[in-house]
Amino acid sequence: MPIVLCGLLAPGPSYADDWALQSLSLRARVSEKTLLGKEAPEDFKEYDLSANVALPWERYSASGWGMGTRLMASAGALRGSGENALVVSLIPEWTLGSEDGRFLLDLGAGVALFSRHRFGEQDFGGPFQFALSLGVGAPLYRQLGIGYRFLHYSDAGVNGPDTTGADFHMVEFRYRF
């Protein structure tokens, strides 16, 4: 059974020119301060721009539904406790949905860099953070779409047990190419 599944899910041959810009998104945090169900010491706002680049590994059926991979790169501002930081991230994602990207569910894990890692009482532990992302998207009008994204930053305890990550529930407006 595992061999059959691997054969069905294995990507076909592809080339570097298969990389293509899929969409650009503007995102903003819309939630209160929580950290996986707990109260976080500080409240944050985050605004960013993300670019989603299709990676060559994909498998879609004749109906136009299937799965693919992409790379989400983002840059934006994180504000907490009166302090601002630049945050850049790079997150490879696995996607499920329509081949044209109108309807999409994605899941990814990657890295982020913060220009500042202490905000009042909250210490992220260092500038390097792990990033987890889960998103859903739907069309609004033609190339425009709307989505929800859960984004989690954490140093995963690399810098000690006294660090705290952050969770972001974000609304996402995107333009598909």
Side-chain angles (χ1 to χ4, degrees):
M1 184 65 150
I3 294 172
V4 171
L5 283 174
C6 287
L8 291 173
L9 299 177
S14 60
Y15 305 96
D17 64 347
D18 290 340
W19 291 50
L21 182 61
Q22 283 184 329
S23 64
L24 291 175
S25 300
L26 285 172
R27 305 185 303 204
R29 183 175 185 196
V30 293
S31 67
E32 296 180 14
K33 57 181 185 175
T34 58
L35 178 63
L36 299 176
K38 300 181 211 170
E39 180 102 1
E42 299 292 341
D43 189 21
F44 291 95
K45 292 180 176 25
E46 181 168 12
Y47 307 96
D48 65 22
L49 173 67
S50 72
N52 296 295
V53 177
L55 297 176
W57 307 283
E58 61 183 28
R59 180 76 73 183
Y60 290 94
S61 68
S63 68
W65 292 87
M67 62 183 200
T69 57
R70 71 180 185 181
L71 187 62
M72 180 174 62
S74 69
L78 178 63
R79 180 164 177 78
S81 191
E83 302 289 342
N84 294 317
L86 171 67
V87 177
V88 295
S89 68
L90 198 58
I91 303 173
E93 294 181 322
W94 179 60
T95 63
L96 293 172
S98 59
E99 189 171 11
D100 63 5
R102 294 183 60 175
F103 296 95
L104 196 63
L105 170 67
D106 63 64
L107 176 65
V111 296
L113 288 174
F114 289 19
S115 64
R116 160 188 296 282
H117 61 89
R118 292 177 198 242
F119 298 85
E121 294 179 38
Q122 187 153 344
D123 183 2
F124 283 88
F128 176 84
Q129 300 290 307
F130 294 100
L132 300 175
S133 176
L134 171 69
V136 295
L140 273 179
Y141 178 73
R142 297 188 184 196
Q143 286 1 74
L144 299 177
I146 191 166
Y148 161 81
R149 179 153 313 277
F150 173 78
L151 186 59
H152 174 77
Y153 294 127
S154 171
D155 73 347
V158 170
N159 295 303
D162 297 331
T163 62
T164 305
D167 294 336
F168 299 92
H169 299 278
M170 304 177 87
V171 66
E172 186 170 69
F173 295 97
R174 68 186 166 123
Y175 179 82
R176 288 179 299 103
F177 292 98

